[in-house]
Amino acid sequence: QLQLQESGPGLVKPSETLSLTCTVSGGSIRSSGYYWAWIRQPPGKGLEWIGNIYYSGNTYYNPSLKSRITISVDTSKNQFSLKLSSVTAADTAVYYCARLWGGTRPWYFDYWGQGTLVTVSS
Amino acid sequence: DIQLTQSPSFLSASVGDRVTITCRASQVISTYLAWYQQKPGKAPKLLIYAASTLQSGVPSRFSGSGSGTEFTLTISSLQPEDFATYYCQQLNSYPWTFGQGTKVEVK
């Protein structure tokens, strides 16, 4: 059974960089057709797609965040990571990692991590 | 960006009720729409993709329909475990977007 687990600091200071890692177990991050994604959810609010990465390193970012985000992959560790720079209180959210079927359409997110709350505060 | 508007935002229902949630897209998205269920403190769970394809393991009381700009999620007979928030998501074009959610509450 595929499992995804987010890890990283739960508290980040304003203007600093948020860094999270998602560890994939029970399957390979190099699986053909599958992308790896980050989605976030501010407390009490809806979901926002942040971006995707393929194991080859190809990325797709939400334009609203593109100038501040970097998603990378480490196939040797079966992990992928998110960096979000210059954070403000508006970046406080539960951050989810997820698997995306991105091969032949239709696409969908079929496995999700449990989520990790990141609070931006001094 | 493609906007998704769900209606209603809140819905009160009883066990056994038939429940229908609508998702309207601001542009044509073919059938590239997914539905997720989210319970408090938990990650979203995929219910339906491609507008009407039931994800493996999801009970058959859930069904989806629609194409173009209007979509529906139907629960044929609401069960106690179905009280949750439901989100639609379009995967037709970047940036992928979600509806604002529909919370199904106990009447």
Side-chain angles (χ1 to χ4, degrees):
Chain A
Q1 177 78 347
L2 191 78
Q3 292 187 317
L4 295 87
Q5 178 68 58
E6 305 89 352
S7 59
L11 181 64
V12 181
K13 290 182 168 54
S15 80
E16 295 189 344
T17 296
L18 177 161
S19 295
L20 295 174
T21 295
C22 182
T23 300
V24 178
S25 59
S28 175
I29 206 166
R30 298 174 62 90
S31 297
S32 180
Y34 287 101
Y35 287 70
W36 306 92
W38 290 97
I39 299 109
R40 69 179 183 178
Q41 185 172 36
K45 297 188 178 180
L47 298 158
E48 180 181 32
W49 169 72
I50 298 171
N52 307 332
I53 190 165
Y54 198 55
Y55 75 87
S56 62
N58 288 350
T59 53
Y60 299 86
Y61 295 154
N62 191 323
S64 68
L65 298 168
K66 188 174 183 177
S67 64
R68 297 196 292 131
I69 59 175
T70 302
I71 298 177
S72 58
V73 64
D74 186 337
T75 56
S76 68
K77 295 181 179 178
N78 232 31
Q79 294 176 334
F80 62 106
S81 298
L82 169 70
K83 291 188 185 299
L84 178 64
S85 64
S86 305
V87 298
T88 69
D91 296 310
T92 294
V94 174
Y95 285 77
Y96 295 101
C97 59
R99 187 180 81 165
L100 164 75
W101 167 251
T104 304
R105 285 198 178 198
W107 302 332
Y108 47 84
F109 293 95
D110 59 353
Y111 283 92
W112 295 63
Q114 65 185 23
T116 187
L117 174 63
V118 179
T119 302
V120 178
S121 175
S122 55
Chain B
D1 298 5
I2 296 175
Q3 309 300 318
L4 296 179
T5 303
Q6 291 182 229
S7 58
S9 295
F10 297 92
L11 188 160
S12 294
S14 302
V15 172
D17 285 353
R18 182 181 181 88
V19 168
T20 299
I21 299 168
T22 298
C23 178
R24 289 188 174 86
S26 60
Q27 302 174 33
V28 170
I29 59 170
S30 184
T31 57
Y32 299 132
L33 187 102
W35 289 97
Y36 301 87
Q37 176 194 66
Q38 187 179 34
K39 296 182 178 179
K42 300 294 186 182
K45 172 188 173 184
L46 176 66
L47 297 176
I48 287 168
Y49 62 94
S52 61
T53 302
L54 199 66
Q55 170 68 347
S56 175
V58 174
S60 59
R61 64 181 179 273
F62 291 93
S63 64
S65 65
S67 67
T69 62
E70 188 152 337
F71 303 85
T72 59
L73 172 70
T74 299
I75 309 172
S76 61
S77 178
L78 197 66
Q79 296 303 299
E81 60 268 30
D82 300 336
F83 291 100
T85 300
Y86 294 84
Y87 293 94
C88 57
Q89 181 201 19
Q90 66 83 17
L91 297 103
N92 179 72
S93 57
Y94 288 110
W96 295 332
T97 48
F98 292 86
Q100 83 278 11
T102 295
K103 186 173 183 179
V104 178
E105 302 175 314
V106 177
K107 190 171 185 179

